[in-house]
Amino acid sequence: MVTWTDKERAAIVGIFAALDYEDAGPKALSRCLIVYPWTKRYFGAFGNLTNAAAIIGNPKIAAHGVKVLHGLDLALQHMDNIKETYADLSILHSETLHVDPDNFKLLADCLTIVVAAKMGHAFTPDAQHAFQKFMSVVVSALGKQYC
Ligand code: HEG
Protein backbone atom coordinates (compact mmCIF):
# COMPACT_ATOMS: atom_id res chain seq x y z
CA MET A 1 0.00 0.00 0.00
CA VAL A 2 1.49 3.28 -1.10
CA THR A 3 1.19 6.22 1.26
CA TRP A 4 1.77 9.87 0.42
CA THR A 5 2.80 12.67 2.70
CA ASP A 6 1.06 16.02 2.34
CA LYS A 7 4.31 17.42 0.95
CA GLU A 8 4.53 14.70 -1.68
CA ARG A 9 0.90 15.22 -2.70
CA ALA A 10 1.40 18.98 -2.94
CA ALA A 11 4.59 18.58 -4.97
CA ILE A 12 3.00 16.13 -7.45
CA VAL A 13 -0.19 18.17 -7.88
CA GLY A 14 1.91 21.32 -8.31
CA ILE A 15 4.16 19.79 -10.97
CA PHE A 16 1.21 18.59 -13.05
CA ALA A 17 -0.68 21.88 -12.61
CA ALA A 18 2.28 23.75 -14.08
CA LEU A 19 2.85 21.25 -16.88
CA ASP A 20 1.87 22.16 -20.44
CA TYR A 21 0.58 18.78 -21.66
CA GLU A 22 0.64 19.85 -25.32
CA ASP A 23 4.36 20.50 -25.04
CA ALA A 24 5.60 17.97 -22.49
CA GLY A 25 3.61 14.97 -23.80
CA PRO A 26 5.04 15.07 -27.33
CA LYS A 27 8.53 15.79 -26.00
CA ALA A 28 8.46 12.85 -23.58
CA LEU A 29 7.09 10.32 -26.07
CA SER A 30 9.35 11.41 -28.94
CA ARG A 31 12.36 11.32 -26.61
CA CYS A 32 11.43 7.76 -25.63
CA LEU A 33 11.23 6.63 -29.27
CA ILE A 34 14.56 8.30 -30.13
CA VAL A 35 16.54 7.24 -27.05
CA TYR A 36 15.11 3.70 -27.00
CA PRO A 37 14.43 2.95 -30.70
CA TRP A 38 12.93 -0.48 -30.04
CA THR A 39 9.92 1.28 -28.52
CA LYS A 40 9.02 2.39 -32.07
CA ARG A 41 7.72 -1.12 -32.79
CA TYR A 42 4.38 -0.33 -31.15
CA PHE A 43 3.77 2.68 -33.37
CA GLY A 44 4.05 1.05 -36.79
CA ALA A 45 0.75 2.61 -37.87
CA PHE A 46 1.82 6.13 -36.91
CA GLY A 47 3.70 6.97 -40.13
CA ASN A 48 7.27 8.15 -40.54
CA LEU A 49 9.51 7.38 -37.55
CA THR A 50 12.77 6.91 -39.47
CA ASN A 51 14.87 9.53 -37.67
CA ALA A 52 14.74 11.99 -34.77
CA ALA A 53 13.42 14.87 -36.88
CA ALA A 54 10.67 12.67 -38.33
CA ILE A 55 9.67 11.45 -34.86
CA ILE A 56 9.63 14.96 -33.38
CA GLY A 57 7.63 16.27 -36.35
CA ASN A 58 5.15 13.38 -36.44
CA PRO A 59 1.68 14.71 -35.53
CA LYS A 60 0.35 11.30 -34.52
CA ILE A 61 3.20 10.85 -32.05
CA ALA A 62 2.59 14.35 -30.70
CA ALA A 63 -1.12 13.63 -30.23
CA HIS A 64 -0.37 10.33 -28.54
CA GLY A 65 2.10 12.03 -26.18
CA VAL A 66 -0.68 14.37 -25.06
CA LYS A 67 -3.01 11.38 -24.64
CA VAL A 68 -0.49 9.61 -22.41
CA LEU A 69 -0.22 12.67 -20.15
CA HIS A 70 -4.00 12.82 -19.88
CA GLY A 71 -3.78 9.16 -18.94
CA LEU A 72 -1.66 10.27 -15.98
CA ASP A 73 -4.47 12.59 -14.86
CA LEU A 74 -6.37 9.46 -13.94
CA ALA A 75 -3.66 8.46 -11.48
CA LEU A 76 -3.45 12.02 -10.19
CA GLN A 77 -7.17 11.98 -9.44
CA HIS A 78 -6.95 8.61 -7.68
CA MET A 79 -3.62 8.76 -5.92
CA ASP A 80 -4.70 6.35 -3.19
CA ASN A 81 -6.02 3.81 -5.63
CA ILE A 82 -3.72 3.85 -8.66
CA LYS A 83 -3.52 0.09 -9.07
CA GLU A 84 -7.28 -0.41 -9.42
CA THR A 85 -7.63 2.78 -11.45
CA TYR A 86 -5.19 1.47 -14.05
CA ALA A 87 -6.50 -2.11 -14.22
CA ASP A 88 -8.20 -1.61 -17.60
CA LEU A 89 -5.30 0.38 -19.06
CA SER A 90 -2.90 -2.33 -17.90
CA ILE A 91 -5.01 -5.03 -19.58
CA LEU A 92 -5.12 -2.96 -22.77
CA HIS A 93 -1.32 -2.58 -22.88
CA SER A 94 -0.79 -6.21 -22.00
CA GLU A 95 -3.41 -8.18 -23.90
CA THR A 96 -4.26 -5.92 -26.82
CA LEU A 97 -1.18 -3.78 -27.47
CA HIS A 98 1.41 -6.32 -26.24
CA VAL A 99 3.63 -3.55 -24.89
CA ASP A 100 6.61 -4.92 -22.96
CA PRO A 101 6.07 -3.50 -19.44
CA ASP A 102 9.77 -2.58 -19.15
CA ASN A 103 8.93 0.25 -21.54
CA PHE A 104 6.71 2.01 -18.99
CA LYS A 105 9.78 2.82 -16.93
CA LEU A 106 11.61 4.15 -19.99
CA LEU A 107 8.79 6.54 -20.81
CA ALA A 108 8.53 7.57 -17.16
CA ASP A 109 12.26 8.41 -17.18
CA CYS A 110 11.87 10.45 -20.36
CA LEU A 111 9.01 12.39 -18.82
CA THR A 112 11.11 13.04 -15.71
CA ILE A 113 13.85 14.51 -17.91
CA VAL A 114 11.35 16.71 -19.76
CA VAL A 115 9.87 17.93 -16.46
CA ALA A 116 13.35 18.61 -15.06
CA ALA A 117 14.34 20.57 -18.16
CA LYS A 118 11.19 22.68 -17.96
CA MET A 119 11.30 23.32 -14.21
CA GLY A 120 15.01 23.93 -13.91
CA HIS A 121 16.03 24.79 -10.34
CA ALA A 122 12.45 24.40 -9.15
CA PHE A 123 12.84 20.65 -9.73
CA THR A 124 14.42 20.27 -6.29
CA PRO A 125 15.48 16.89 -4.90
CA ASP A 126 12.21 16.81 -2.92
CA ALA A 127 10.21 17.53 -6.08
CA GLN A 128 12.14 14.85 -7.98
CA HIS A 129 11.53 12.38 -5.18
CA ALA A 130 7.78 12.99 -5.21
CA PHE A 131 7.53 12.94 -9.01
CA GLN A 132 9.56 9.76 -9.43
CA LYS A 133 7.66 8.05 -6.63
CA PHE A 134 4.41 8.91 -8.42
CA MET A 135 5.74 7.66 -11.76
CA SER A 136 7.01 4.42 -10.24
CA VAL A 137 3.57 3.72 -8.76
CA VAL A 138 2.09 4.39 -12.22
CA VAL A 139 4.64 2.06 -13.86
CA SER A 140 3.95 -0.66 -11.32
CA ALA A 141 0.15 -0.30 -11.73
CA LEU A 142 0.37 -0.44 -15.53
CA GLY A 143 2.38 -3.64 -15.20
CA LYS A 144 0.03 -5.27 -12.69
CA GLN A 145 -2.25 -7.08 -15.13
CA TYR A 146 0.62 -8.82 -16.93
CA CYS A 147 0.92 -12.45 -16.01
MG1 HEG B 1 0.21 3.74 -23.77
C1 HEG B 1 -2.57 3.75 -25.79
C2 HEG B 1 -1.45 5.71 -21.48
C3 HEG B 1 3.03 3.93 -21.84
C4 HEG B 1 2.05 2.27 -26.29
N1 HEG B 1 -1.62 4.57 -23.67
C5 HEG B 1 -2.64 4.45 -24.59
C6 HEG B 1 -3.80 5.17 -24.13
C7 HEG B 1 -3.47 5.73 -22.92
C8 HEG B 1 -2.12 5.35 -22.64
C9 HEG B 1 -4.36 6.60 -22.02
C10 HEG B 1 -5.14 5.26 -24.86
C11 HEG B 1 -5.99 4.10 -24.37
C12 HEG B 1 -7.31 3.98 -25.06
O1 HEG B 1 -7.40 4.29 -26.24
O2 HEG B 1 -8.26 3.56 -24.39
N2 HEG B 1 0.70 4.64 -22.00
C13 HEG B 1 -0.13 5.36 -21.19
C14 HEG B 1 0.57 5.73 -19.98
C15 HEG B 1 1.83 5.23 -20.08
C16 HEG B 1 1.92 4.55 -21.35
C17 HEG B 1 -0.03 6.52 -18.83
C18 HEG B 1 3.00 5.30 -19.15
C19 HEG B 1 3.33 6.34 -18.45
N3 HEG B 1 2.17 3.18 -24.01
C20 HEG B 1 3.17 3.35 -23.09
C21 HEG B 1 4.41 2.84 -23.62
C22 HEG B 1 4.13 2.37 -24.88
C23 HEG B 1 2.73 2.59 -25.13
C24 HEG B 1 5.72 2.86 -22.88
C25 HEG B 1 5.05 1.72 -25.89
C26 HEG B 1 6.35 1.85 -25.90
N4 HEG B 1 -0.19 3.12 -25.70
C27 HEG B 1 0.72 2.54 -26.56
C28 HEG B 1 0.07 2.25 -27.80
C29 HEG B 1 -1.27 2.68 -27.67
C30 HEG B 1 -1.40 3.22 -26.33
C31 HEG B 1 0.72 1.61 -29.01
C32 HEG B 1 -2.37 2.60 -28.73
C33 HEG B 1 -2.16 3.80 -29.65
C34 HEG B 1 -3.14 3.89 -30.77
O3 HEG B 1 -3.19 2.96 -31.57
O4 HEG B 1 -3.81 4.93 -30.87
Side-chain angles (χ1 to χ4, degrees):
M1 166 78 189
V2 181
T3 57
W4 306 99
T5 66
D6 290 345
K7 276 177 86 174
E8 286 169 346
R9 284 181 199 273
I12 294 161
V13 169
I15 289 169
F16 278 96
L19 202 59
D20 177 357
Y21 284 23
E22 303 285 328
D23 182 59
K27 278 185 180 154
L29 182 58
S30 59
R31 183 175 279 265
C32 183
L33 301 185
I34 295 163
V35 177
Y36 312 109
W38 58 91
T39 59
K40 291 193 283 186
R41 75 195 305 268
Y42 305 104
F43 301 97
F46 278 49
N48 188 359
L49 302 174
T50 45
N51 54 50
I55 293 168
I56 290 166
N58 185 310
K60 288 187 177 162
I61 293 296
H64 191 65
V66 177
K67 192 186 275 186
V68 167
L69 282 203
H70 283 295
L72 293 178
D73 278 342
L74 212 58
L76 204 57
Q77 288 152 9
H78 300 91
M79 277 184 68
D80 296 310
N81 201 14
I82 294 179
K83 189 175 125 183
E84 288 75 15
T85 301
Y86 273 161
D88 287 349
L89 203 54
S90 178
I91 290 170
L92 176 79
H93 283 81
S94 161
E95 293 176 15
T96 306
L97 300 170
H98 305 297
V99 172
D100 182 331
D102 287 354
N103 294 318
F104 299 138
K105 169 92 172 94
L106 303 180
L107 181 56
D109 287 349
C110 288
L111 180 59
T112 302
I113 287 165
V114 169
V115 168
K118 293 184 75 66
M119 288 180 60
H121 293 302
F123 199 57
T124 60
D126 279 347
Q128 181 180 351
H129 157 77
F131 187 74
Q132 290 201 273
K133 178 174 169 180
F134 176 77
M135 289 308 299
S136 63
V137 176
V138 164
V139 167
S140 162
L142 282 174
K144 276 285 187 302
Q145 305 300 325
Y146 286 68
C147 48

